[in-house]
Amino acid sequence: MGFEGITYTVLTFGCQMNKHDSERVRGMLEALGAISVDSIEEADVVVYMTCCVREAADMRLFGQVASMKNIPLREGSPLHKRIVAIGGCIGQRDGEELFKRLNNVSVVFGTHNLASLPGLIESALEDGSLHAEIKDSAESFPSDPPTSREMPWAAWLPITIGCNNFCSYCIVPYVRGREKSRPLEDIVQEAERLVNDGVLEITLLGQNVNSYGRDLYGKPRFADVLEAVGSTGIKRLRFATSHPKDLTEEVMGKFATLPALMPALHLPVQSGSDRILQAMNRRYTSGHYLGLVEKLRQKCPEIALSTDIIVGFPGETEQDFLATYDLVEKVGFHQVFSFIYSKREHTPAARIVDNTPRETIQDRFDRLVKLVETQAEALNQKDCGKNVDVLIEGASKKDETRLVGKTPKHQTVHAPLPPQTDIAVLRGTIQQVRIEKAGPWYLSGTLLSA
Ligand code: 5AD
Ligand code: SF4
C-alpha cells in the first residue's frame, strides 16, 4: 500500500526548527502522492512535530492525542484506523514509551529520523503494527529532503542542528544532540536554489547560529555564512537563534555592511541578574549583554532587538527579578518572549530546590509583560509617519479586507486592501506602506504602491 488516496495533516508545536521540519514532512509526503488536509477529521494520517522545552506544550500533546480517539475516520478513507505519528523532541525523549502511554499512536520518530518517516508510515499502513526509529545522534548534517513551504516566498534554511551549550534549565541538548554544522557550499547552493525559486526572505536556522563552523574543516564562521548567503541576490536575510556569548564583532558588523541583512536581531538574554545567569550556565554577564546592545546600535542605529526571558528560575529573588526588569528598561526591546520557568527532568536546574510561591512568580511575570508592552508601543510609535517596505503575507484572518505583512524590523503591519485589488497578486511582494498608527503588537497604515 502506498500513499495514493491517503490524506494527511501535520500539527506543529514549538520552535522554528520544528516548523521547518514540518515543511519537510509535508514535502516528503506530497512527493509520494499523499493529499494535504487542514483538519484531523479529514486526515487518515496525523503527524505531530512536538516540543518539550516547557511542560505546557508537553501536556497539550498528550491531551490532544488521547482525545483524538473520539474523532472518527473520514467517510471514504481507505484505512480501518487513523495512523498517528509522533516526532520531534518528545518522540526523541520518550521513544517507544509513547506506545504504552498513548495506545492510538502507531509511529514514533526521533529528531534525527525525519527522512525515515515516510517509510515508517508506509509500514504502518501495510501491517497496522507499531513502528519506531530513534537515532541517538546524527552522523552528519542531514541531507535536504523535498520541502513544501507554507509561504512560498519565505524559507527557513538550517545551518546547524543540535546544541552544545547545556544551559542548566534546557532540555534541547538532550533531544537535539550535539551541534553539527552544515557545509558552507551546501548552504550557499540551497540559498541560490531558493533565490532562483523566487524566494524573497531566508531565515538561517540553528540552536546557536553564532557557533557555526567550529566542527568543520577550515572553520568557516557564521560571518562567512552571512556574507555568502547575503550575496546570492536574496532580498531579506534573517537568522535565529543567537547566543550572546558567541556574537562576534564580525557578525555585528554585517548589519552595517550587508544590505540584505534585515535590521532585527533576536538575542535571548534569559535574565538580567548575573547570579542567575551563572546558575543558568549562560556564560556572560548582564554587562556583556548591554555592551553588545551598544555596539549593535552603533553599527545599525535602527536595529530592532527581541529577546527571551525566563521568570522564576529556581532561587530567583525579588532583587534578581529587578535586575532583569532594569535590563529590559535599559535595552528597549521591540519584542520579548517571556516564559515562566518550567522544570525539565534530568536537567541540572531540576535539582535546585525552590520554595518561591507560584503567585510571586506570576506577579513578576505580569510586571514584566506590562513593561514590555509599554516599551514596545513607544518604540513602534517612532515609526508613525514613515514609509516602510512591507513584505505582504496575505489577508488578515479576522478581516479579509485588511492585508498583513512584515517590515524589515519584523513588525507586523496591517493596512486596508485597496478596492478592486486581488490579494493573491500582492501576496509575497514587497510594497510601501505609510505607517499611521502603532500599538505594542502591530503597526497600521495605508498601502502606497501597487
Ligand atoms: N522553562 C522555561 N522556559 C524555557 N526555555 C527553555 N527552557 C525553558 C524552561 N525549562 C525558554 C528559553 C529559550 C526559549 C526557546 O525557551 O527562554 O530561549
Ligand atoms: Fe537550550 Fe541554551 Fe542550547 Fe538555547 S543555547 S537550545 S537555551 S541549551
Side-chain angles (χ1 to χ4, degrees), residues 311-312 316 318 321 338-341 356-370:
V311 178
E316 181 190 77
E318 176 63 15
F321 172 72
S338 312
F339 306 107
I340 287 183
Y341 169 76
T356 316
R358 179 83 204 174
E359 309 81 73
T360 308
I361 295 173
Q362 187 65 48
D363 174 64
R364 287 177 195 158
F365 181 85
D366 295 345
R367 280 188 277 160
L368 180 64
V369 168
K370 231 188 211 151

Side-chain angles (χ1 to χ4, degrees), residues 240-447:
T241 292
S242 270
H243 197 306
K245 78 177 162 57
D246 299 313
L247 182 63
T248 61
E249 287 277 342
E250 289 77 27
V251 168
M252 290 191 274
K254 297 294 175 201
F255 283 102
T257 59
L258 264 184
L261 188 58
M262 291 292 101
L265 175 66
H266 185 62
L267 193 63
V269 66
Q270 313 297 0
S271 168
S273 152
D274 289 343
R275 198 181 70 81
I276 295 292
L277 284 170
Q278 194 174 15
M280 288 176 162
N281 191 30
R282 290 289 289 178
R283 288 173 279 167
Y284 57 81
T285 59
S286 56
H288 176 77
Y289 190 93
L290 291 170
L292 292 176
V293 170
E294 200 180 318
K295 276 188 202 151
L296 282 160
R297 289 198 166 133
Q298 270 162 17
K299 292 181 201 291
C300 178
E302 81 272 35
I303 198 161
L305 298 170
S306 56
T307 200
D308 292 344
I309 289 176
I310 297 177
V311 178
F313 182 83
E316 181 190 77
T317 61
E318 176 63 15
Q319 204 184 353
D320 292 319
F321 172 72
L322 289 177
T324 301
Y325 195 93
D326 183 53
L327 180 134
V328 172
E329 264 188 325
K330 279 191 182 128
V331 175
F333 290 103
H334 270 75
Q335 206 174 5
V336 176
F337 299 91
S338 312
F339 306 107
I340 287 183
Y341 169 76
S342 168
K343 181 173 167 177
R344 304 285 68 200
E345 287 308 328
H346 310 300
T347 59
R351 293 195 295 269
I352 310 174
V353 181
D354 184 41
N355 300 318
T356 316
R358 179 83 204 174
E359 309 81 73
T360 308
I361 295 173
Q362 187 65 48
D363 174 64
R364 287 177 195 158
F365 181 85
D366 295 345
R367 280 188 277 160
L368 180 64
V369 168
K370 231 188 211 151
L371 169 65
V372 168
E373 197 173 320
T374 316
Q375 232 180 20
E377 178 156 10
L379 288 168
N380 283 337
Q381 286 288 345
K382 291 188 183 170
D383 288 330
C384 285
K386 288 187 190 158
N387 297 344
V388 296
D389 285 339
V390 176
L391 176 50
I392 311 292
E393 294 178 347
S396 154
K397 281 194 189 111
K398 286 192 204 130
D399 180 356
E400 295 236 316
T401 66
R402 291 181 78 73
L403 50 82
V404 181
K406 286 279 182 334
T407 68
K409 292 194 279 191
H410 213 241
Q411 296 140 301
T412 300
V413 176
H414 292 228
L417 181 65
Q420 268 94 52
T421 314
D422 184 359
I423 185 70
V425 178
L426 290 179
R427 196 179 280 134
T429 65
I430 296 176
Q431 305 291 341
Q432 280 232 311
V433 172
R434 182 166 186 78
I435 305 300
E436 285 144 3
K437 272 208 277 195
W441 320 125
Y442 64 87
L443 310 171
S444 61
T446 308
L447 190 68

